[in-house]
């Protein structure tokens, strides 16, 4: 792997990991368009850990508070009513679906799910779902003709049932083109949560899933060759860009809608169908690259 490839892949990972546009789809398309060789499972795992490190640092106060309350709740029954302790349990509950499905559907994830036609379909379908969810949230927040402003739920309203639904939405991201943040945020908006609450829980929910996936892939690729220089460089790039994207995104959603991401997803999905249909891209192009 060249330093230029590692720079581009690190930028793509950092830019797309937290936006509702599917990082797996963009990494796949980068490989397909550039014609690059597979960077390896270890490369993917390490760069994902880099972007997740950005989440750990950006939400460090929230995470420290949740972990502290959760550990105390293990021995102190009174602490189990604390919101932060409950959040710790809800992150665990919400992580169950992707853990179970990730293991049971491993062969499909590495095979049929990587077809670019399926990726294009998911980009469009989940883009429409995100658009519908965003419009519902906007109507509740602003009201309108013959409508009153409706208060949306915060994370203090999060229940075990809602946590599992969030988790099922996150598990859909095992299919390239869905987007982890896009699916969980859409699910949260459809359940009546605010944009900020849905995004915050989405990022917190991703921590155990991505870290566990990274460790698992590192173990799987332990015997493979790793270009450590470019890999570490890409990880640093992904971390720095990912941190900036999180900071921007959390401010963006407080005043803006998700519609720019919706139109981008739909346009990219249509473009993919056109390129595959015209024979410019094979449905399996870049399948080993990302």
């Amino acid at each position: 792997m060249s330093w230029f490839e590692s720079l581009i892949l690190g930028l793509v990972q950092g830019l797309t990991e937290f936006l509702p546009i599917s990082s797996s789809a963009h990494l796949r398309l980068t490989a397909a368009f550039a014609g690059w060789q597979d960077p390896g499972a270890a490369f993917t795992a390490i760069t994902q850990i880099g972007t997740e490190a950005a989440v750990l640092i950006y939400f460090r106060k929230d995470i420290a508070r949740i972990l502290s309350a959760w550990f105390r709740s293990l021995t102190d029954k009174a602490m189990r009513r604390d919101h932060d302790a409950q959040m710790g349990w809800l992150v665990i509950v919400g992580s169950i679906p992707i853990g179970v499905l990730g293991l049971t559907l491993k062969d499909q994830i590495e095979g049929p799910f990587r077809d670019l036609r399926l990726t294009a379909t998911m980009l469009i379908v989940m883009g429409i779902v995100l658009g519908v969810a965003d419009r519902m949230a906007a109507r509740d927040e602003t009201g309108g003709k013959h409508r009153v402003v409706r208060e949306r739920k915060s994370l203090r309203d999060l229940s075990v049932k809602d946590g599992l639904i969030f988790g099922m939405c996150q598990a859909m991201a095992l299919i390239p083109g869905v987007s982890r943040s896009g699916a969980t945020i859409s699910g949260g908006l459809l359940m009546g949560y605010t944009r900020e609450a849905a995004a915050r829980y989405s990022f917190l929910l991703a921590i155990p899933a991505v870290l566990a996936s990274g460790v698992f892939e590192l173990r799987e690729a332990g015997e493979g060759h790793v270009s450590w220089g470019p890999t570490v460089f890409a990880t640093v790039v992904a971390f720095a860009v990912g941190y900036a994207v999180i900071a921007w995104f959390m401010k963006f959603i407080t005043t803006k809608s998700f519609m720019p991401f919706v139109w981008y997803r739909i346009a990219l999905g249509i473009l993919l169908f056109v390129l595959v249909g015209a024979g410019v891209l094979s449905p399996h192009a870049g399948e080993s690259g990302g």
Side-chain angles (χ1 to χ4, degrees), residues 46-200:
I46 294 171
T47 53
Q48 285 180 335
I49 291 174
T51 49
E52 207 55 37
V55 176
L56 294 173
I57 293 178
Y58 186 85
F59 291 106
R60 60 190 180 278
K61 293 181 180 179
D62 293 28
I63 293 170
R65 194 176 62 249
I66 290 170
L67 284 175
S68 174
W70 182 79
F71 276 114
R72 281 184 288 158
S73 73
L74 295 177
T75 56
D76 185 350
K77 291 184 178 180
M79 280 297 300
R80 295 172 190 173
R81 294 189 296 271
D82 182 83
H83 171 68
D84 289 324
Q86 292 174 349
M87 275 298 298
W89 286 111
L90 288 169
V91 168
I92 293 173
V93 168
S95 300
I96 294 173
I98 197 170
V100 173
L101 293 176
L103 291 173
T104 57
L105 299 177
K106 187 175 184 296
D107 291 339
Q108 287 77 11
I109 293 166
E110 296 175 351
F113 286 2
R114 294 179 67 79
D115 190 304
L116 284 179
R117 291 165 296 190
L118 179 59
T119 299
T121 301
M122 290 298 99
L123 282 168
I124 295 171
V125 171
M126 292 307 298
I128 294 172
V129 171
L130 178 60
V132 171
D134 186 68
R135 290 297 297 272
M136 288 177 58
R139 283 192 295 180
D140 285 349
E141 293 166 357
T142 61
K145 189 175 182 180
H146 307 306
R147 292 179 62 89
V148 296
V149 175
R150 178 184 174 187
E151 185 176 355
R152 302 210 117 219
K153 294 189 282 188
S154 71
L155 286 185
R156 289 192 172 275
D157 300 306
L158 189 63
S159 64
V160 172
K161 176 185 175 182
D162 287 357
L164 281 172
I165 295 175
F166 266 111
M168 289 301 297
C169 291
Q170 177 179 239
M172 291 175 63
L174 293 169
I175 305 174
V178 171
S179 169
R180 185 193 311 275
S181 64
T184 50
I185 290 172
S186 295
L189 294 179
L190 291 172
M191 287 189 287
Y193 288 88
T194 64
R195 291 188 180 92
E196 193 274 339
R200 186 172 291 269

Side-chain angles (χ1 to χ4, degrees), residues 238-266:
F239 164 75
V241 175
Y243 186 91
V245 169
I246 294 173
W248 172 82
F249 187 64
M250 293 304 294
K251 291 180 181 179
F252 176 87
I253 60 176
T254 59
T255 57
K256 308 292 183 181
S257 80
F258 289 112
M259 291 311 296
F261 303 112
V262 171
W263 293 120
Y264 173 77
R265 290 179 63 102
I266 293 173

Side-chain angles (χ1 to χ4, degrees), residues 201-245:
Y201 185 61
S202 172
F203 289 150
L204 293 175
L205 194 60
I207 294 172
V210 173
L211 291 181
S213 174
V215 171
F216 181 78
E217 289 186 32
L218 278 173
R219 188 188 66 179
E220 290 273 302
E223 298 179 359
H225 175 70
V226 178
S227 301
W228 284 108
T231 298
V232 172
F233 176 59
T235 302
V236 172
V237 171
F239 164 75
V241 175
Y243 186 91
V245 169

